[in-house]
Amino acid sequence: QVQLVESGGGLVQAGGSLRLSCAASGRTFSSNVLGWFRTAPGKDREFVAAISGDSGNTPYADSVKGRFTISRDNAKNTVYLQMNSLKPEDTAVYYCAARSSNTPTRWGFAYDYWGQGTQVTVSS
């Protein structure tokens, strides 16, 4: 049974930083895409970033480019999201997701496995 478990969310002031982690279990994703999405109150799910198995392809949403960094540790079957210069509009529940493919995509429906989410709240 595949499980994705996020951690690292919390409350932070604007301009601060947080590092999210997502540990996968039940299968190895070293050759698969891992990604991060978020859902803000009253809004649709939004793509944040994704990373290919070899970390060579890392697309980002324009809204986070230059502030967020996605990375992975295949030995630990874990993906990270380093979030710097946080803004109140980054407030959302952040979800990690995994694909059975190794082609990063912004489309949520293309991901096969999802975590339960972790809350990130940025105060102004």
Side-chain angles (χ1 to χ4, degrees):
Q1 179 182 351
V2 174
Q3 279 193 314
L4 302 177
V5 179
E6 302 96 337
S7 61
L11 173 64
V12 64
Q13 287 189 327
S17 299
L18 281 175
R19 188 194 195 206
L20 304 184
S21 300
C22 174
S25 61
R27 62 165 282 184
T28 299
F29 288 99
S30 58
S31 298
N32 303 98
V33 168
L34 297 172
W36 288 96
F37 291 77
R38 66 186 182 186
T39 303
K43 294 189 177 181
D44 293 334
R45 183 176 61 195
E46 176 188 23
F47 169 78
V48 176
I51 186 167
S52 60
D54 64 356
S55 302
N57 190 351
T58 54
Y60 291 89
D62 288 343
S63 58
V64 307
K65 201 173 294 183
R67 299 188 298 122
F68 291 10
T69 303
I70 190 170
S71 62
R72 64 190 295 163
D73 184 338
N74 286 337
K76 295 182 179 180
N77 219 19
T78 299
V79 62
Y80 305 97
L81 186 68
Q82 178 66 44
M83 306 185 294
N84 298 329
S85 302
L86 282 161
K87 305 175 181 179
E89 51 263 44
D90 293 318
T91 294
V93 177
Y94 283 72
Y95 299 89
C96 73
R99 289 197 75 188
S100 297
S101 162
N102 197 28
T103 303
T105 177
R106 302 167 182 264
W107 302 106
F109 64 78
Y111 288 77
D112 303 289
Y113 306 99
W114 292 85
Q116 293 300 304
T118 185
Q119 176 71 47
V120 171
T121 303
V122 184
S123 63
S124 56

